Amino acid sequence: MGRQALQAASQAADGRGVMTTLLPAILAHWRLAQPADLIGHVHGDGGIANAEVADLAQLVVLQAHEGDAAARRIVRTAADDLARTV
């Protein structure tokens, strides 16, 4: 879910995707000033730990609860994937 949130946020930032509240939520969570800072945070100095990306799932669920369409789609996909696995 965290990886998908990053994808949705980056696509919103560069205009390839719809605007999503995930973008400002991720920027605030990681204390980044602007969307361009995501690149350095995620890929700089060897990148970030998988756990740090996975922690974004909490933001996704919160934003989905608040009604964000992109976050809701990510949660729905994760639920469908889990159901198929079970």
PDB file of all heavy atoms in Angstrom, residues 1-11 13 22-23 26-27 29-56 59:
ATOM      1  N   MET A   1       0.815  -1.181   0.000  1.00  0.00           N
ATOM      2  CA  MET A   1       0.000   0.000   0.000  1.00  0.00           C
ATOM      3  C   MET A   1       0.865   1.254   0.000  1.00  0.00           C
ATOM      4  O   MET A   1       0.518   2.242  -0.642  1.00  0.00           O
ATOM      5  CB  MET A   1      -0.932  -0.008   1.211  1.00  0.00           C
ATOM      6  CG  MET A   1      -2.048  -1.039   1.115  1.00  0.00           C
ATOM      7  SD  MET A   1      -3.088  -1.207   2.595  1.00  0.00           S
ATOM      8  CE  MET A   1      -3.724   0.412   2.801  1.00  0.00           C
ATOM      9  N   GLY A   2       1.970   1.202   0.725  1.00  0.00           N
ATOM     10  CA  GLY A   2       2.862   2.350   0.777  1.00  0.00           C
ATOM     11  C   GLY A   2       3.459   2.681  -0.576  1.00  0.00           C
ATOM     12  O   GLY A   2       3.533   3.842  -0.976  1.00  0.00           O
ATOM     13  N   ARG A   3       3.864   1.643  -1.292  1.00  0.00           N
ATOM     14  CA  ARG A   3       4.436   1.854  -2.628  1.00  0.00           C
ATOM     15  C   ARG A   3       3.398   2.448  -3.559  1.00  0.00           C
ATOM     16  O   ARG A   3       3.677   3.373  -4.332  1.00  0.00           O
ATOM     17  CB  ARG A   3       4.976   0.529  -3.177  1.00  0.00           C
ATOM     18  CG  ARG A   3       5.681   0.675  -4.512  1.00  0.00           C
ATOM     19  CD  ARG A   3       6.115  -0.663  -5.092  1.00  0.00           C
ATOM     20  NE  ARG A   3       5.033  -1.624  -5.203  1.00  0.00           N
ATOM     21  CZ  ARG A   3       4.082  -1.596  -6.157  1.00  0.00           C
ATOM     22  NH1 ARG A   3       4.079  -0.633  -7.053  1.00  0.00           N
ATOM     23  NH2 ARG A   3       3.140  -2.522  -6.205  1.00  0.00           N
ATOM     24  N   GLN A   4       2.184   1.947  -3.489  1.00  0.00           N
ATOM     25  CA  GLN A   4       1.112   2.478  -4.328  1.00  0.00           C
ATOM     26  C   GLN A   4       0.780   3.920  -3.951  1.00  0.00           C
ATOM     27  O   GLN A   4       0.454   4.738  -4.812  1.00  0.00           O
ATOM     28  CB  GLN A   4      -0.127   1.601  -4.233  1.00  0.00           C
ATOM     29  CG  GLN A   4       0.064   0.246  -4.890  1.00  0.00           C
ATOM     30  CD  GLN A   4      -1.125  -0.667  -4.670  1.00  0.00           C
ATOM     31  OE1 GLN A   4      -1.838  -0.559  -3.678  1.00  0.00           O
ATOM     32  NE2 GLN A   4      -1.332  -1.578  -5.599  1.00  0.00           N
ATOM     33  N   ALA A   5       0.868   4.236  -2.662  1.00  0.00           N
ATOM     34  CA  ALA A   5       0.631   5.616  -2.217  1.00  0.00           C
ATOM     35  C   ALA A   5       1.692   6.544  -2.785  1.00  0.00           C
ATOM     36  O   ALA A   5       1.377   7.644  -3.247  1.00  0.00           O
ATOM     37  CB  ALA A   5       0.624   5.686  -0.694  1.00  0.00           C
ATOM     38  N   LEU A   6       2.937   6.110  -2.766  1.00  0.00           N
ATOM     39  CA  LEU A   6       4.011   6.917  -3.352  1.00  0.00           C
ATOM     40  C   LEU A   6       3.793   7.118  -4.843  1.00  0.00           C
ATOM     41  O   LEU A   6       4.008   8.218  -5.369  1.00  0.00           O
ATOM     42  CB  LEU A   6       5.368   6.254  -3.121  1.00  0.00           C
ATOM     43  CG  LEU A   6       5.990   6.449  -1.762  1.00  0.00           C
ATOM     44  CD1 LEU A   6       7.243   5.594  -1.625  1.00  0.00           C
ATOM     45  CD2 LEU A   6       6.325   7.913  -1.545  1.00  0.00           C
ATOM     46  N   GLN A   7       3.362   6.083  -5.520  1.00  0.00           N
ATOM     47  CA  GLN A   7       3.103   6.193  -6.952  1.00  0.00           C
ATOM     48  C   GLN A   7       1.974   7.189  -7.209  1.00  0.00           C
ATOM     49  O   GLN A   7       2.093   8.061  -8.077  1.00  0.00           O
ATOM     50  CB  GLN A   7       2.748   4.829  -7.531  1.00  0.00           C
ATOM     51  CG  GLN A   7       2.545   4.842  -9.027  1.00  0.00           C
ATOM     52  CD  GLN A   7       2.270   3.449  -9.567  1.00  0.00           C
ATOM     53  OE1 GLN A   7       1.780   2.572  -8.861  1.00  0.00           O
ATOM     54  NE2 GLN A   7       2.581   3.247 -10.824  1.00  0.00           N
ATOM     55  N   ALA A   8       0.883   7.079  -6.457  1.00  0.00           N
ATOM     56  CA  ALA A   8      -0.245   7.996  -6.639  1.00  0.00           C
ATOM     57  C   ALA A   8       0.163   9.431  -6.333  1.00  0.00           C
ATOM     58  O   ALA A   8      -0.202  10.366  -7.056  1.00  0.00           O
ATOM     59  CB  ALA A   8      -1.413   7.573  -5.746  1.00  0.00           C
ATOM     60  N   ALA A   9       0.945   9.603  -5.274  1.00  0.00           N
ATOM     61  CA  ALA A   9       1.385  10.950  -4.893  1.00  0.00           C
ATOM     62  C   ALA A   9       2.309  11.546  -5.943  1.00  0.00           C
ATOM     63  O   ALA A   9       2.168  12.720  -6.308  1.00  0.00           O
ATOM     64  CB  ALA A   9       2.086  10.902  -3.536  1.00  0.00           C
ATOM     65  N   SER A  10       3.245  10.756  -6.447  1.00  0.00           N
ATOM     66  CA  SER A  10       4.171  11.289  -7.448  1.00  0.00           C
ATOM     67  C   SER A  10       3.463  11.584  -8.760  1.00  0.00           C
ATOM     68  O   SER A  10       3.765  12.582  -9.426  1.00  0.00           O
ATOM     69  CB  SER A  10       5.357  10.343  -7.661  1.00  0.00           C
ATOM     70  OG  SER A  10       4.934   9.126  -8.229  1.00  0.00           O
ATOM     71  N   GLN A  11       2.498  10.761  -9.127  1.00  0.00           N
ATOM     72  CA  GLN A  11       1.746  11.022 -10.351  1.00  0.00           C
ATOM     73  C   GLN A  11       0.873  12.265 -10.204  1.00  0.00           C
ATOM     74  O   GLN A  11       0.701  13.017 -11.160  1.00  0.00           O
ATOM     75  CB  GLN A  11       0.908   9.812 -10.734  1.00  0.00           C
ATOM     76  CG  GLN A  11       1.761   8.671 -11.246  1.00  0.00           C
ATOM     77  CD  GLN A  11       0.978   7.423 -11.552  1.00  0.00           C
ATOM     78  OE1 GLN A  11      -0.183   7.286 -11.174  1.00  0.00           O
ATOM     79  NE2 GLN A  11       1.610   6.478 -12.225  1.00  0.00           N
ATOM     80  N   ALA A  13       1.683  14.792  -8.328  1.00  0.00           N
ATOM     81  CA  ALA A  13       2.620  15.920  -8.304  1.00  0.00           C
ATOM     82  C   ALA A  13       3.057  16.343  -9.699  1.00  0.00           C
ATOM     83  O   ALA A  13       3.201  17.537  -9.968  1.00  0.00           O
ATOM     84  CB  ALA A  13       3.849  15.561  -7.461  1.00  0.00           C
ATOM     85  N   LEU A  22      -3.106  12.154  -0.560  1.00  0.00           N
ATOM     86  CA  LEU A  22      -1.933  11.370  -0.165  1.00  0.00           C
ATOM     87  C   LEU A  22      -0.653  12.188  -0.336  1.00  0.00           C
ATOM     88  O   LEU A  22       0.288  12.032   0.455  1.00  0.00           O
ATOM     89  CB  LEU A  22      -1.835  10.089  -0.997  1.00  0.00           C
ATOM     90  CG  LEU A  22      -2.897   9.033  -0.698  1.00  0.00           C
ATOM     91  CD1 LEU A  22      -2.882   7.945  -1.761  1.00  0.00           C
ATOM     92  CD2 LEU A  22      -2.679   8.447   0.696  1.00  0.00           C
ATOM     93  N   LEU A  23      -0.618  13.050  -1.338  1.00  0.00           N
ATOM     94  CA  LEU A  23       0.586  13.846  -1.577  1.00  0.00           C
ATOM     95  C   LEU A  23       0.923  14.743  -0.389  1.00  0.00           C
ATOM     96  O   LEU A  23       2.020  14.613   0.177  1.00  0.00           O
ATOM     97  CB  LEU A  23       0.456  14.653  -2.869  1.00  0.00           C
ATOM     98  CG  LEU A  23       1.620  15.580  -3.215  1.00  0.00           C
ATOM     99  CD1 LEU A  23       2.939  14.809  -3.315  1.00  0.00           C
ATOM    100  CD2 LEU A  23       1.330  16.318  -4.511  1.00  0.00           C
ATOM    101  N   ILE A  26       1.849  12.565   2.757  1.00  0.00           N
ATOM    102  CA  ILE A  26       3.187  11.965   2.726  1.00  0.00           C
ATOM    103  C   ILE A  26       4.253  13.029   2.955  1.00  0.00           C
ATOM    104  O   ILE A  26       5.203  12.807   3.721  1.00  0.00           O
ATOM    105  CB  ILE A  26       3.421  11.207   1.403  1.00  0.00           C
ATOM    106  CG1 ILE A  26       2.523   9.963   1.348  1.00  0.00           C
ATOM    107  CG2 ILE A  26       4.895  10.815   1.248  1.00  0.00           C
ATOM    108  CD1 ILE A  26       2.490   9.286  -0.016  1.00  0.00           C
ATOM    109  N   LEU A  27       4.103  14.174   2.308  1.00  0.00           N
ATOM    110  CA  LEU A  27       5.071  15.258   2.516  1.00  0.00           C
ATOM    111  C   LEU A  27       5.130  15.652   3.990  1.00  0.00           C
ATOM    112  O   LEU A  27       6.224  15.811   4.552  1.00  0.00           O
ATOM    113  CB  LEU A  27       4.708  16.466   1.654  1.00  0.00           C
ATOM    114  CG  LEU A  27       4.832  16.292   0.140  1.00  0.00           C
ATOM    115  CD1 LEU A  27       4.341  17.541  -0.575  1.00  0.00           C
ATOM    116  CD2 LEU A  27       6.250  15.945  -0.264  1.00  0.00           C
ATOM    117  N   HIS A  29       4.224  13.805   6.601  1.00  0.00           N
ATOM    118  CA  HIS A  29       4.711  12.660   7.380  1.00  0.00           C
ATOM    119  C   HIS A  29       6.234  12.597   7.369  1.00  0.00           C
ATOM    120  O   HIS A  29       6.855  12.312   8.394  1.00  0.00           O
ATOM    121  CB  HIS A  29       4.112  11.374   6.803  1.00  0.00           C
ATOM    122  CG  HIS A  29       4.558  10.123   7.476  1.00  0.00           C
ATOM    123  ND1 HIS A  29       4.127   9.775   8.730  1.00  0.00           N
ATOM    124  CD2 HIS A  29       5.402   9.144   7.069  1.00  0.00           C
ATOM    125  CE1 HIS A  29       4.681   8.616   9.068  1.00  0.00           C
ATOM    126  NE2 HIS A  29       5.463   8.229   8.076  1.00  0.00           N
ATOM    127  N   TRP A  30       6.819  12.844   6.218  1.00  0.00           N
ATOM    128  CA  TRP A  30       8.272  12.788   6.087  1.00  0.00           C
ATOM    129  C   TRP A  30       8.926  14.162   6.230  1.00  0.00           C
ATOM    130  O   TRP A  30      10.133  14.300   6.024  1.00  0.00           O
ATOM    131  CB  TRP A  30       8.662  12.158   4.750  1.00  0.00           C
ATOM    132  CG  TRP A  30       8.502  10.669   4.727  1.00  0.00           C
ATOM    133  CD1 TRP A  30       8.420   9.824   5.805  1.00  0.00           C
ATOM    134  CD2 TRP A  30       8.418   9.834   3.571  1.00  0.00           C
ATOM    135  NE1 TRP A  30       8.294   8.535   5.388  1.00  0.00           N
ATOM    136  CE2 TRP A  30       8.293   8.499   4.025  1.00  0.00           C
ATOM    137  CE3 TRP A  30       8.435  10.096   2.213  1.00  0.00           C
ATOM    138  CZ2 TRP A  30       8.187   7.425   3.139  1.00  0.00           C
ATOM    139  CZ3 TRP A  30       8.334   9.025   1.332  1.00  0.00           C
ATOM    140  CH2 TRP A  30       8.214   7.710   1.804  1.00  0.00           C
ATOM    141  N   ARG A  31       8.136  15.175   6.581  1.00  0.00           N
ATOM    142  CA  ARG A  31       8.619  16.543   6.781  1.00  0.00           C
ATOM    143  C   ARG A  31       9.391  17.065   5.565  1.00  0.00           C
ATOM    144  O   ARG A  31      10.493  17.602   5.682  1.00  0.00           O
ATOM    145  CB  ARG A  31       9.474  16.627   8.043  1.00  0.00           C
ATOM    146  CG  ARG A  31       8.717  16.304   9.302  1.00  0.00           C
ATOM    147  CD  ARG A  31       9.601  16.450  10.530  1.00  0.00           C
ATOM    148  NE  ARG A  31       8.860  16.087  11.713  1.00  0.00           N
ATOM    149  CZ  ARG A  31       9.055  14.979  12.407  1.00  0.00           C
ATOM    150  NH1 ARG A  31       9.978  14.112  12.030  1.00  0.00           N
ATOM    151  NH2 ARG A  31       8.337  14.726  13.488  1.00  0.00           N
ATOM    152  N   LEU A  32       8.767  16.895   4.401  1.00  0.00           N
ATOM    153  CA  LEU A  32       9.352  17.366   3.157  1.00  0.00           C
ATOM    154  C   LEU A  32       8.628  18.634   2.730  1.00  0.00           C
ATOM    155  O   LEU A  32       7.421  18.760   2.922  1.00  0.00           O
ATOM    156  CB  LEU A  32       9.237  16.296   2.066  1.00  0.00           C
ATOM    157  CG  LEU A  32       9.910  14.956   2.381  1.00  0.00           C
ATOM    158  CD1 LEU A  32       9.594  13.935   1.303  1.00  0.00           C
ATOM    159  CD2 LEU A  32      11.409  15.122   2.552  1.00  0.00           C
ATOM    160  N   ALA A  33       9.362  19.553   2.146  1.00  0.00           N
ATOM    161  CA  ALA A  33       8.799  20.855   1.788  1.00  0.00           C
ATOM    162  C   ALA A  33       7.996  20.837   0.496  1.00  0.00           C
ATOM    163  O   ALA A  33       7.012  21.558   0.371  1.00  0.00           O
ATOM    164  CB  ALA A  33       9.914  21.893   1.689  1.00  0.00           C
ATOM    165  N   GLN A  34       8.407  20.030  -0.459  1.00  0.00           N
ATOM    166  CA  GLN A  34       7.756  20.041  -1.765  1.00  0.00           C
ATOM    167  C   GLN A  34       7.832  18.660  -2.404  1.00  0.00           C
ATOM    168  O   GLN A  34       8.670  17.843  -2.027  1.00  0.00           O
ATOM    169  CB  GLN A  34       8.392  21.085  -2.667  1.00  0.00           C
ATOM    170  CG  GLN A  34       9.873  20.885  -2.858  1.00  0.00           C
ATOM    171  CD  GLN A  34      10.509  22.063  -3.559  1.00  0.00           C
ATOM    172  OE1 GLN A  34       9.862  23.071  -3.811  1.00  0.00           O
ATOM    173  NE2 GLN A  34      11.775  21.935  -3.901  1.00  0.00           N
ATOM    174  N   PRO A  35       6.966  18.397  -3.391  1.00  0.00           N
ATOM    175  CA  PRO A  35       6.948  17.083  -4.025  1.00  0.00           C
ATOM    176  C   PRO A  35       8.296  16.644  -4.601  1.00  0.00           C
ATOM    177  O   PRO A  35       8.640  15.465  -4.529  1.00  0.00           O
ATOM    178  CB  PRO A  35       5.899  17.241  -5.134  1.00  0.00           C
ATOM    179  CG  PRO A  35       4.970  18.274  -4.608  1.00  0.00           C
ATOM    180  CD  PRO A  35       5.868  19.245  -3.861  1.00  0.00           C
ATOM    181  N   ALA A  36       9.067  17.568  -5.135  1.00  0.00           N
ATOM    182  CA  ALA A  36      10.373  17.200  -5.698  1.00  0.00           C
ATOM    183  C   ALA A  36      11.297  16.591  -4.650  1.00  0.00           C
ATOM    184  O   ALA A  36      12.200  15.824  -4.987  1.00  0.00           O
ATOM    185  CB  ALA A  36      11.022  18.423  -6.335  1.00  0.00           C
ATOM    186  N   ASP A  37      11.067  16.892  -3.384  1.00  0.00           N
ATOM    187  CA  ASP A  37      11.892  16.340  -2.305  1.00  0.00           C
ATOM    188  C   ASP A  37      11.667  14.842  -2.108  1.00  0.00           C
ATOM    189  O   ASP A  37      12.482  14.173  -1.472  1.00  0.00           O
ATOM    190  CB  ASP A  37      11.618  17.069  -0.986  1.00  0.00           C
ATOM    191  CG  ASP A  37      12.015  18.532  -1.035  1.00  0.00           C
ATOM    192  OD1 ASP A  37      12.861  18.895  -1.880  1.00  0.00           O
ATOM    193  OD2 ASP A  37      11.463  19.315  -0.238  1.00  0.00           O
ATOM    194  N   LEU A  38      10.563  14.318  -2.639  1.00  0.00           N
ATOM    195  CA  LEU A  38      10.296  12.879  -2.520  1.00  0.00           C
ATOM    196  C   LEU A  38      11.392  12.053  -3.176  1.00  0.00           C
ATOM    197  O   LEU A  38      11.796  11.020  -2.642  1.00  0.00           O
ATOM    198  CB  LEU A  38       8.950  12.530  -3.168  1.00  0.00           C
ATOM    199  CG  LEU A  38       7.698  12.889  -2.402  1.00  0.00           C
ATOM    200  CD1 LEU A  38       6.468  12.737  -3.286  1.00  0.00           C
ATOM    201  CD2 LEU A  38       7.578  12.041  -1.152  1.00  0.00           C
ATOM    202  N   ILE A  39      11.882  12.516  -4.312  1.00  0.00           N
ATOM    203  CA  ILE A  39      12.899  11.763  -5.055  1.00  0.00           C
ATOM    204  C   ILE A  39      14.139  11.557  -4.205  1.00  0.00           C
ATOM    205  O   ILE A  39      14.633  10.440  -4.052  1.00  0.00           O
ATOM    206  CB  ILE A  39      13.250  12.470  -6.377  1.00  0.00           C
ATOM    207  CG1 ILE A  39      12.023  12.496  -7.284  1.00  0.00           C
ATOM    208  CG2 ILE A  39      14.429  11.782  -7.071  1.00  0.00           C
ATOM    209  CD1 ILE A  39      12.154  13.427  -8.470  1.00  0.00           C
ATOM    210  N   GLY A  40      14.646  12.631  -3.627  1.00  0.00           N
ATOM    211  CA  GLY A  40      15.842  12.520  -2.795  1.00  0.00           C
ATOM    212  C   GLY A  40      15.606  11.689  -1.557  1.00  0.00           C
ATOM    213  O   GLY A  40      16.481  10.932  -1.130  1.00  0.00           O
ATOM    214  N   HIS A  41      14.429  11.817  -0.973  1.00  0.00           N
ATOM    215  CA  HIS A  41      14.136  11.066   0.248  1.00  0.00           C
ATOM    216  C   HIS A  41      14.049   9.562  -0.042  1.00  0.00           C
ATOM    217  O   HIS A  41      14.594   8.756   0.708  1.00  0.00           O
ATOM    218  CB  HIS A  41      12.829  11.548   0.874  1.00  0.00           C
ATOM    219  CG  HIS A  41      12.526  10.885   2.175  1.00  0.00           C
ATOM    220  ND1 HIS A  41      13.188  11.221   3.340  1.00  0.00           N
ATOM    221  CD2 HIS A  41      11.661   9.898   2.501  1.00  0.00           C
ATOM    222  CE1 HIS A  41      12.728  10.468   4.329  1.00  0.00           C
ATOM    223  NE2 HIS A  41      11.803   9.660   3.842  1.00  0.00           N
ATOM    224  N   VAL A  42      13.394   9.211  -1.122  1.00  0.00           N
ATOM    225  CA  VAL A  42      13.182   7.798  -1.438  1.00  0.00           C
ATOM    226  C   VAL A  42      14.430   7.158  -2.036  1.00  0.00           C
ATOM    227  O   VAL A  42      14.776   6.029  -1.698  1.00  0.00           O
ATOM    228  CB  VAL A  42      11.976   7.632  -2.392  1.00  0.00           C
ATOM    229  CG1 VAL A  42      11.847   6.199  -2.888  1.00  0.00           C
ATOM    230  CG2 VAL A  42      10.696   8.075  -1.689  1.00  0.00           C
ATOM    231  N   HIS A  43      15.134   7.884  -2.899  1.00  0.00           N
ATOM    232  CA  HIS A  43      16.245   7.281  -3.640  1.00  0.00           C
ATOM    233  C   HIS A  43      17.631   7.736  -3.200  1.00  0.00           C
ATOM    234  O   HIS A  43      18.621   7.120  -3.585  1.00  0.00           O
ATOM    235  CB  HIS A  43      16.085   7.569  -5.139  1.00  0.00           C
ATOM    236  CG  HIS A  43      14.846   6.972  -5.714  1.00  0.00           C
ATOM    237  ND1 HIS A  43      14.648   5.623  -5.836  1.00  0.00           N
ATOM    238  CD2 HIS A  43      13.710   7.559  -6.172  1.00  0.00           C
ATOM    239  CE1 HIS A  43      13.463   5.389  -6.359  1.00  0.00           C
ATOM    240  NE2 HIS A  43      12.869   6.548  -6.570  1.00  0.00           N
ATOM    241  N   GLY A  44      17.730   8.789  -2.405  1.00  0.00           N
ATOM    242  CA  GLY A  44      19.035   9.302  -2.007  1.00  0.00           C
ATOM    243  C   GLY A  44      19.735   8.424  -0.982  1.00  0.00           C
ATOM    244  O   GLY A  44      19.103   7.713  -0.207  1.00  0.00           O
ATOM    245  N   ASP A  45      21.039   8.447  -0.998  1.00  0.00           N
ATOM    246  CA  ASP A  45      21.870   7.723  -0.021  1.00  0.00           C
ATOM    247  C   ASP A  45      21.432   6.279   0.182  1.00  0.00           C
ATOM    248  O   ASP A  45      21.235   5.816   1.304  1.00  0.00           O
ATOM    249  CB  ASP A  45      21.883   8.448   1.327  1.00  0.00           C
ATOM    250  CG  ASP A  45      22.559   9.806   1.258  1.00  0.00           C
ATOM    251  OD1 ASP A  45      23.501   9.948   0.449  1.00  0.00           O
ATOM    252  OD2 ASP A  45      22.144  10.709   2.001  1.00  0.00           O
ATOM    253  N   GLY A  46      21.229   5.562  -0.905  1.00  0.00           N
ATOM    254  CA  GLY A  46      20.874   4.154  -0.816  1.00  0.00           C
ATOM    255  C   GLY A  46      19.388   3.890  -0.659  1.00  0.00           C
ATOM    256  O   GLY A  46      18.964   2.758  -0.539  1.00  0.00           O
ATOM    257  N   GLY A  47      18.587   4.923  -0.631  1.00  0.00           N
ATOM    258  CA  GLY A  47      17.141   4.747  -0.533  1.00  0.00           C
ATOM    259  C   GLY A  47      16.662   4.611   0.899  1.00  0.00           C
ATOM    260  O   GLY A  47      17.434   4.724   1.845  1.00  0.00           O
ATOM    261  N   ILE A  48      15.394   4.392   1.042  1.00  0.00           N
ATOM    262  CA  ILE A  48      14.800   4.257   2.362  1.00  0.00           C
ATOM    263  C   ILE A  48      14.467   2.799   2.620  1.00  0.00           C
ATOM    264  O   ILE A  48      14.360   1.988   1.696  1.00  0.00           O
ATOM    265  CB  ILE A  48      13.535   5.131   2.515  1.00  0.00           C
ATOM    266  CG1 ILE A  48      12.489   4.773   1.470  1.00  0.00           C
ATOM    267  CG2 ILE A  48      13.891   6.600   2.438  1.00  0.00           C
ATOM    268  CD1 ILE A  48      11.169   5.496   1.646  1.00  0.00           C
ATOM    269  N   ALA A  49      14.294   2.469   3.865  1.00  0.00           N
ATOM    270  CA  ALA A  49      13.973   1.096   4.255  1.00  0.00           C
ATOM    271  C   ALA A  49      12.552   0.741   3.821  1.00  0.00           C
ATOM    272  O   ALA A  49      11.672   1.602   3.785  1.00  0.00           O
ATOM    273  CB  ALA A  49      14.104   0.943   5.762  1.00  0.00           C
ATOM    274  N   ASN A  50      12.348  -0.525   3.500  1.00  0.00           N
ATOM    275  CA  ASN A  50      11.016  -0.991   3.130  1.00  0.00           C
ATOM    276  C   ASN A  50      10.004  -0.683   4.229  1.00  0.00           C
ATOM    277  O   ASN A  50       8.847  -0.377   3.935  1.00  0.00           O
ATOM    278  CB  ASN A  50      11.025  -2.490   2.849  1.00  0.00           C
ATOM    279  CG  ASN A  50      11.732  -2.829   1.553  1.00  0.00           C
ATOM    280  OD1 ASN A  50      11.847  -2.009   0.656  1.00  0.00           O
ATOM    281  ND2 ASN A  50      12.214  -4.055   1.448  1.00  0.00           N
ATOM    282  N   ALA A  51      10.431  -0.759   5.474  1.00  0.00           N
ATOM    283  CA  ALA A  51       9.528  -0.487   6.590  1.00  0.00           C
ATOM    284  C   ALA A  51       9.019   0.944   6.572  1.00  0.00           C
ATOM    285  O   ALA A  51       7.863   1.209   6.940  1.00  0.00           O
ATOM    286  CB  ALA A  51      10.224  -0.781   7.921  1.00  0.00           C
ATOM    287  N   GLU A  52       9.859   1.867   6.115  1.00  0.00           N
ATOM    288  CA  GLU A  52       9.444   3.269   6.048  1.00  0.00           C
ATOM    289  C   GLU A  52       8.369   3.462   4.977  1.00  0.00           C
ATOM    290  O   GLU A  52       7.431   4.248   5.165  1.00  0.00           O
ATOM    291  CB  GLU A  52      10.650   4.167   5.767  1.00  0.00           C
ATOM    292  CG  GLU A  52      10.385   5.621   6.000  1.00  0.00           C
ATOM    293  CD  GLU A  52      11.628   6.489   5.929  1.00  0.00           C
ATOM    294  OE1 GLU A  52      12.757   5.969   5.877  1.00  0.00           O
ATOM    295  OE2 GLU A  52      11.455   7.716   5.908  1.00  0.00           O
ATOM    296  N   VAL A  53       8.474   2.736   3.896  1.00  0.00           N
ATOM    297  CA  VAL A  53       7.437   2.786   2.859  1.00  0.00           C
ATOM    298  C   VAL A  53       6.181   2.091   3.377  1.00  0.00           C
ATOM    299  O   VAL A  53       5.072   2.592   3.205  1.00  0.00           O
ATOM    300  CB  VAL A  53       7.932   2.138   1.544  1.00  0.00           C
ATOM    301  CG1 VAL A  53       6.808   2.064   0.513  1.00  0.00           C
ATOM    302  CG2 VAL A  53       9.119   2.897   0.989  1.00  0.00           C
ATOM    303  N   ALA A  54       6.342   0.959   4.024  1.00  0.00           N
ATOM    304  CA  ALA A  54       5.193   0.224   4.555  1.00  0.00           C
ATOM    305  C   ALA A  54       4.423   1.050   5.578  1.00  0.00           C
ATOM    306  O   ALA A  54       3.194   0.943   5.673  1.00  0.00           O
ATOM    307  CB  ALA A  54       5.657  -1.095   5.181  1.00  0.00           C
ATOM    308  N   ASP A  55       5.112   1.896   6.334  1.00  0.00           N
ATOM    309  CA  ASP A  55       4.447   2.756   7.322  1.00  0.00           C
ATOM    310  C   ASP A  55       3.432   3.698   6.680  1.00  0.00           C
ATOM    311  O   ASP A  55       2.512   4.175   7.353  1.00  0.00           O
ATOM    312  CB  ASP A  55       5.473   3.586   8.105  1.00  0.00           C
ATOM    313  CG  ASP A  55       6.185   2.783   9.166  1.00  0.00           C
ATOM    314  OD1 ASP A  55       5.703   1.692   9.524  1.00  0.00           O
ATOM    315  OD2 ASP A  55       7.232   3.256   9.643  1.00  0.00           O
ATOM    316  N   LEU A  56       3.582   3.955   5.398  1.00  0.00           N
ATOM    317  CA  LEU A  56       2.648   4.842   4.711  1.00  0.00           C
ATOM    318  C   LEU A  56       1.247   4.240   4.627  1.00  0.00           C
ATOM    319  O   LEU A  56       0.278   4.950   4.380  1.00  0.00           O
ATOM    320  CB  LEU A  56       3.156   5.190   3.311  1.00  0.00           C
ATOM    321  CG  LEU A  56       4.445   5.992   3.240  1.00  0.00           C
ATOM    322  CD1 LEU A  56       4.844   6.199   1.776  1.00  0.00           C
ATOM    323  CD2 LEU A  56       4.302   7.330   3.956  1.00  0.00           C
ATOM    324  N   LEU A  59      -1.263   6.072   6.569  1.00  0.00           N
ATOM    325  CA  LEU A  59      -1.748   7.293   5.925  1.00  0.00           C
ATOM    326  C   LEU A  59      -2.799   6.968   4.870  1.00  0.00           C
ATOM    327  O   LEU A  59      -3.778   7.700   4.715  1.00  0.00           O
ATOM    328  CB  LEU A  59      -0.599   8.056   5.266  1.00  0.00           C
ATOM    329  CG  LEU A  59       0.450   8.671   6.170  1.00  0.00           C
ATOM    330  CD1 LEU A  59       1.542   9.319   5.335  1.00  0.00           C
ATOM    331  CD2 LEU A  59      -0.172   9.677   7.099  1.00  0.00           C
TER     332      LEU A  59
END
